[in-house]
């Protein structure tokens, strides 16, 4: 693993969401975003949003108009923790 790479880890919920994404045909788009997070979680484009409320300290990127990838960045450990990969409106 090269120095610049970040480790991407998944919550149990994100693992469930990944199965839904695969079934809905959105896996390639989500995989692009995950690859980007492994290189640099703050790279743009695509835009990312800093979340507030319950998810303060987390960020999200759109997979499509409805679904988002929600993640947390732990800079000291160089870890990106993926929390959700499905709609947060359910």
């Amino acid at each position: 693993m090269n120095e610049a790479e970040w480790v991407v880890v998944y919550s149990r919920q994100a693992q469930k969401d990944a199965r839904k994404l695969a079934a809905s045909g959105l896996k390639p788009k989500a995989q692009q975003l995950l690859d980007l997070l492994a290189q640099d979680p703050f790279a743009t484009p695509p835009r990312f949003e800093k979340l507030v409320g319950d998810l303060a300290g987390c960020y999200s990127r759109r997979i499509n108009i409805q679904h988002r990838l929600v993640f947390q960045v732990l800079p000291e450990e160089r870890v990106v923790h993926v929390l959700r990969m499905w709609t947060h409106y359910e």
Side-chain angles (χ1 to χ4, degrees):
M1 181 165 85
N2 81 33
E3 283 300 310
E5 286 212 355
W6 290 67
V7 177
V8 179
V9 296
Y10 303 89
S11 69
R12 203 177 254 125
Q13 184 60 55
Q15 291 170 14
K16 286 181 191 166
D17 293 346
R19 289 191 281 277
K20 289 186 204 169
L21 281 174
S24 67
L26 291 170
K27 189 177 180 183
K29 177 71 173 139
Q31 190 60 54
Q32 272 182 326
L33 291 174
L34 293 168
D35 293 345
L36 180 71
L37 291 181
Q39 291 165 23
D40 178 0
F42 298 113
T44 56
R47 278 182 330 114
F48 62 89
E49 292 173 35
K50 199 167 187 162
L51 301 178
V52 295
D54 299 356
L55 293 169
C58 297
Y59 303 88
S60 81
R61 291 181 187 261
R62 287 190 178 278
I63 296 170
N64 67 7
I65 196 77
Q66 183 183 12
H67 302 301
R68 294 173 168 270
L69 190 131
V70 176
F71 61 99
Q72 195 174 22
V73 179
L74 309 170
E76 299 78 36
E77 297 93 12
R78 291 189 67 78
V79 168
V80 177
H81 186 200
V82 177
L83 304 174
R84 300 290 317 255
M85 292 193 287
W86 195 246
T87 181
H88 63 294
Y89 303 113
E90 283 182 354

